[in-house]
Amino acid sequence: MTHWGQMGFQDANSPLMEQLIFFHDHTMFILILILSLILYTSFMLMINKFTCLLITESQKIETIWTMLPSIILLLLALPSLRLLYLLDETNNPLLTIKVLGHQWYWSYEYSDFMNIEFDSYMIPSNELTLGQFRLLETDHHLIIPMKTNTRMIISSTDVIHSWTIPSLGVKVDAIPGRLNQLMLHPSRPGLFYGQCSEICGANHSFMPITLEIINMKSFIKWLTMMN
């Protein structure tokens, strides 16, 4: 059963996810104001006994209920367009990683280093160790440095998949014959999990993503070991 702390967003681990949460809160604040106003107006109309059969039109009221929705739409549209622009930003990446979706696992290739590529399979439930999460752990983690721009180039070899990390605010479709890209800029180290978010066949729910974020010194050490 879902707990109260699991009903909202995951804690943000990137500036992009922080902006997504801010926009969500901004939108919910406006929606709650509108809902409160409508409920209050409806309630007052039901309980008051005043009537006026002589009023056929009111220019002031019509002007207000025409202009007010327009202003509200602007308050929603402008932050939304700004956020869409931020989602497509891929400037000055320090590292480029190619991600390929397969039925039913992910493969990763560090394009800047010729010898580093591996497949990432889900660990079966009977092989999990203490502290590992069922259906989320993989045998190989995708490792990236924190507080650096990492470009992900995503595609698929068979059907449409979707590479998703909720805490980073990223969800990109992996489409055969097409390259999609996104930028990661993680704020803190740790293990972060995601799953394929596009129904891709019988084992769709068995191709998780385990992202390990480490500091730059540890990342360089890992690169040295892999080479």
Side-chain angles (χ1 to χ4, degrees), residues 43-52:
F43 180 72
M44 294 304 295
L45 287 173
M46 287 188 292
I47 66 171
N48 80 72
K49 300 179 181 179
F50 299 103
T51 60
C52 183

Side-chain angles (χ1 to χ4, degrees), residues 156-167:
S156 172
T157 60
D158 35 53
V159 299
I160 298 177
H161 303 276
S162 186
W163 197 83
T164 307
I165 303 288
S167 61

